Amino acid sequence: MQLTQHQQDMLDGKYGKGAAYAMKIQAAIGESFGAERMVPITRAHVALSNQEADLWFAEKMLAGGAKCRVIPTVNPGFCLEFFKNRDMVAPEYADLMQRTHNAYKALGAQLSYNCTPYIDTNVPNYREVIAFSESSATPYANAVWGARTNREGANSALCAAITGCVPEYGLLLDENRKGDILVEIQADVKNDFDYHIIGMLGKKIGEGIPVFTGFPKETITKEALRNLGAQLNTSGAYGMYHIVGVTPEAPDLGTALGGKAPKRTVVITNEDKEAILKEISLEGSRTIDFAMFGCPHFTLEEVKYIAEKLEGKKLKKEMWILTSSHVKEMAVRMGFDRIITDAGGFIVPDSCPDQPCWRHLTGKVGITESPKCAYYPQRRGIHFVIRDLDTCIEAALTGEVK
Amino acid sequence: MGKRFTCHKISEGRAEAQAIVSKDHIMFYLIDPATGTVIEKAHDLEGRSIAHKALIFPGGKGSSVVQADGLYQLNQRENSPAAMIIEHPETVLVSSAIIMEVPMVDRVDPAFYETVKDGDRIVVDADQGIIEILEETEDSK
């Protein structure tokens, strides 16, 4: 790989050990993918996870004197103030979050703690070269905004923020952005939840770049697209997709496929939706202990929708709605937070379902509309029934799901 | 000498280990760090350990952060795979392998996939770009 003098200097340690280590990792990634050069980025999003590996790596960079050249936004851990004040988190985990906060602050990150930067805090422009990690963020940035990023890991995105560049390969190049799997949606698609479920069909769709046809236009919302990308990367690994007539690099089917025939055609039916829901969800007809939404973070519109459903009512079970701090603030200003709080629910900023702050839910059964929300916390002994949002809200009000 | 096949280096290093073949994509976060056992429901390798094995699999799946943490936790307890042979590398797994210093290769001679059996002892030499299936021994049966 050809490096510029500046990049070579960085690799040689002239800008400190941290920057040199970041460049070394990126050069190795570039070489494994056959990149010929490193190109500058203008944005980054680091999927901070507040897990041991994440902190280990961030502190290692910091110890090497690294500082972000491009200020990245970061993913949620958990809101220290909220969970510490309620004594919901063990001291060692509160300590982990504090150290994560300190490390990223010192590295110069924007402490946004939000997993939907493509809606809230860090929206790229068409053809902008960026480094986005976070599974729902990469496909949104590529497919919906037409920006260019590979499916970075949290570590490689942090390296990119530190060096200010990325190896040029994969989705940064025109020829690799074309679709190669035609996915015909023949299933009913009515709401954002249907996109969650269709996204979970990665095993059926297979490896490649899907080109979707058949989504009814009126159902294609920012929440739907967020859900589709999030779940495609729960059931598989997708950095890019196209929706014919909707996403910017797919004005028509031929362009989306790059003028070639698709390597395969997949038809998605109602039977596929039913089968996958059965596979990933606990069985219904049971009592539930809590409801959780916001994986990825809920938008202001979704918060408003829930608030309208809960106005004047009392929840039988806990309801946790996870959002960005921006959405939380707007919800407070606009009165939605008060309605939801009065009903017995919580809008929690800066937090993720897969964090140690949920220890009181261990062994309990929740309900959520997001398969991703149900998937990761399995490891913490928290299991979910997955249903559409209305059913979830009803379950939190009555304490049971039919 | 056993059968040798060419491959392409992703993450440097060399390891000799028993092969374990997964038809499904791997999510390192749903592998128990204490034992290396795959705990993901309905996974091809559910209930089997990948610790110290040469893991042959199609690719990675799942969120961009948890792969690294899964591999890190395995590493901390010395239960990482000894080497990884992947068909569809992607940045998340590649960067995790490089940072955690687990040898990883791709672009393997297709004949390898027709020859290798679960349980074979193999050598993965990323630096030389060679995978070797060793002669069968009593131990590997």
Side-chain angles (χ1 to χ4, degrees), chain B residues 11-30:
Chain B
S11 172
E12 62 192 13
R14 179 188 185 278
E16 180 184 328
Q18 200 177 39
I20 185 166
V21 183
S22 173
K23 290 194 193 73
D24 288 335
H25 284 54
I26 299 278
M27 165 43 108
F28 282 99
Y29 197 52
L30 292 179

Side-chain angles (χ1 to χ4, degrees), chain B residues 67-141:
Chain B
Q67 284 286 25
D69 198 68
L71 202 53
Y72 174 84
Q73 298 296 347
L74 286 163
N75 228 7
Q76 290 295 96
R77 291 163 183 78
E78 298 183 354
N79 282 327
S80 293
M84 295 194 271
I85 300 170
I86 187 167
E87 279 175 74
H88 306 286
E90 36 89 24
T91 313
V92 170
L93 252 190
V94 166
S95 54
S96 302
I98 292 168
I99 292 163
M100 305 305 164
E101 298 176 1
V102 179
M104 181 189 256
V105 298
D106 69 340
R107 293 186 232 157
V108 185
D109 179 348
F112 168 76
Y113 289 102
E114 289 158 26
T115 315
V116 71
K117 294 186 304 299
D118 205 285
D120 284 349
R121 280 204 82 74
I122 66 174
V123 175
V124 181
D125 191 334
D127 304 332
Q128 302 296 322
I130 295 287
I131 301 175
E132 184 175 350
I133 302 178
L134 300 176
E135 299 291 345
E136 252 182 69
T137 62
E138 281 306 308
D139 288 340
S140 66
K141 279 184 185 162

Side-chain angles (χ1 to χ4, degrees), chain A residues 234-289:
Chain A
T234 302
S235 64
Y238 298 87
M240 177 74 182
Y241 62 83
H242 299 275
I243 301 176
V244 176
V246 176
T247 56
E249 291 169 61
D252 53 69
L253 183 61
T255 308
L257 291 166
K260 294 188 192 145
K263 68 179 181 190
R264 53 201 243 111
T265 299
V266 179
V267 176
I268 305 292
T269 64
N270 283 335
E271 288 71 42
D272 292 321
K273 277 172 56 189
E274 283 158 25
I276 194 73
L277 180 60
K278 209 169 168 192
E279 188 183 317
I280 59 179
S281 170
L282 290 180
E283 277 183 41
S285 305
R286 70 199 305 154
T287 59
I288 53 110
D289 301 311

Side-chain angles (χ1 to χ4, degrees), chain A residues 115-116 118-119 134-137 139-140 144 192-193 195-196 221-232 241 294-300 302 322 369-370 372:
Chain A
C115 53
T116 56
Y118 46 87
I119 292 173
E134 157 55 26
S135 51
S136 75
Y140 206 106
V144 181
D192 302 334
F193 178 66
Y195 287 81
H196 267 320
T221 60
K222 61 181 182 295
E223 292 82 4
L225 296 169
R226 173 202 63 197
N227 295 353
L228 181 66
Q231 309 308 343
L232 281 171
Y241 62 83
C295 177
H297 279 167
F298 258 24
T299 63
L300 187 62
E302 289 169 311
L322 313 181
E369 38 64 71
S370 164
K372 185 178 181 180

Side-chain angles (χ1 to χ4, degrees), chain A residues 101-155:
Chain A
H101 177 89
N102 296 348
Y104 278 90
K105 189 175 172 190
L107 284 166
Q110 181 183 331
L111 301 170
S112 54
Y113 298 130
N114 164 229
C115 53
T116 56
Y118 46 87
I119 292 173
D120 284 291
T121 45
N122 198 357
V123 181
N125 297 316
Y126 184 61
R127 292 183 74 91
E128 196 174 347
V129 176
I130 62 176
F132 267 34
S133 55
E134 157 55 26
S135 51
S136 75
T138 310
Y140 206 106
N142 277 315
V144 181
W145 298 128
R148 299 189 165 205
T149 174
N150 279 307
R151 191 174 170 269
E152 302 286 350
N155 299 325

Side-chain angles (χ1 to χ4, degrees), chain A residues 21 24-25 28-29 31-34 47-49 51-54 56-57 60 75 133-135 138 150-156 159 169 203 207 233-237 279-280 282 354 372 375-376 378-380, chain B residues 8-12 24-25 27-33 39-43 58-66 68-70 72-73 76-77 88-96 98-101 106-107:
Chain A
Y21 182 49
K24 180 175 175 247
I25 292 164
I29 294 168
E31 276 176 15
S32 75
F33 287 105
L48 165 155
S49 66
Q51 289 170 320
E52 283 174 43
D54 179 53
W56 167 78
F57 191 70
K60 188 167 173 171
N75 255 22
S133 55
E134 157 55 26
S135 51
T138 310
N150 279 307
R151 191 174 170 269
E152 302 286 350
N155 299 325
S156 63
C159 290
Y169 67 93
K203 210 163 170 172
E207 194 92 27
N233 284 303
T234 302
S235 64
E279 188 183 317
I280 59 179
L282 290 180
D354 188 25
K372 185 178 181 180
Y375 185 72
Y376 295 105
Q378 289 178 60
R379 213 168 85 140
R380 301 177 189 276
Chain B
H8 166 255
K9 176 181 85 173
I10 290 177
S11 172
E12 62 192 13
D24 288 335
H25 284 54
M27 165 43 108
F28 282 99
Y29 197 52
L30 292 179
I31 294 178
D32 178 12
I39 57 172
E40 185 175 344
K41 274 196 298 183
H43 193 278
K61 62 170 181 177
S63 120
S64 54
V65 294
V66 298
D69 198 68
Y72 174 84
Q73 298 296 347
Q76 290 295 96
R77 291 163 183 78
H88 306 286
E90 36 89 24
T91 313
V92 170
L93 252 190
V94 166
S95 54
S96 302
I98 292 168
I99 292 163
M100 305 305 164
E101 298 176 1
D106 69 340
R107 293 186 232 157

